[in-house]
Each structure stands twice: as structure tokens, then as C-alpha cells.
Amino acid sequence: MTDQSQPIFEELTKLKSESVYDYFVILFNDSIHEFSYVEDCLMKLCFKTKREAKKIAIEAHSNGKAICFHGSMEECETVADNMTNANLTVSYGV
């Protein structure tokens, strides 16, 4: 192994470990649920504070969508499933 291969391996490992958490859950606006319900779901299912939940709910209402969770693929899949089970419209991905 040459000295030049070590930094490349470390760089690839670093990039791989950083990209594990490059997944997002996106909340979409709907006209069915009240703000308070959406905020409660964001606090309970996305682990947000009241202030963060309110900000995300307002952004989704204003822009049609908002990122509500950031984490690994498995975490995002779980959060998206829980949000869907709460009858909210979400998607997740990179």
C-alpha cells in the first residue's frame, strides 16, 4: 500500500459516513389537518420543539412542502411511516 492510497481511503470513508445522514422527510401541505394537529405530530414523531414544529408547519403551508426530519435512511423511513399513519402526506429520500 502506498502512502498516496491512505488519504484517498480516508476521504472515501469520510464521504461515506457523512452521506449516511443525507436523507430527508418532506411534509406536504394539505387542507385537511389543522395547524395544531400537524405541530403535535411534528413534535411527537419528528422530535421537534414547539417552535420548530410551528416553523415547519408554516413553511409547508406557505411553500407547499417543508423538510421536517433529517437522518439516516432507516430513521427517515420510520418517521415517514409514522407520519403517514398519522394521515399526513410525506415523502423521504436523498
Side-chain angles (χ1 to χ4, degrees):
M1 184 179 282
T2 65
D3 290 338
Q4 292 176 347
S5 65
Q6 186 65 25
I8 293 171
F9 177 76
E10 289 175 356
E11 184 66 21
L12 290 174
T13 304
K14 182 180 175 188
L15 289 172
K16 185 176 181 181
S17 66
E18 288 174 353
S19 67
V20 170
Y21 296 100
D22 284 345
Y23 289 81
F24 300 92
V25 177
I26 300 171
L27 171 68
F28 292 92
N29 184 46
D30 65 36
S31 58
I32 301 167
H33 299 96
E34 295 185 13
F35 269 75
S36 60
Y37 177 75
V38 175
E39 289 172 4
D40 288 344
C41 288
L42 289 166
M43 289 186 295
K44 200 182 317 182
L45 304 174
C46 296
F47 317 106
K48 301 298 180 186
T49 65
K50 180 76 169 169
R51 184 178 188 161
E52 291 170 329
K54 183 181 276 301
K55 183 178 177 180
I56 292 167
I58 290 171
E59 182 179 345
H61 179 73
S62 300
N63 299 328
K65 61 185 176 181
I67 294 173
C68 63
F69 187 81
H70 178 249
S72 70
M73 182 178 71
E74 293 82 11
E75 291 170 326
C76 288
E77 183 176 8
T78 300
V79 168
D81 286 346
N82 292 337
M83 297 284 279
T84 300
N85 290 337
N87 295 316
L88 295 173
T89 305
V90 297
S91 70
Y92 72 97
V94 180

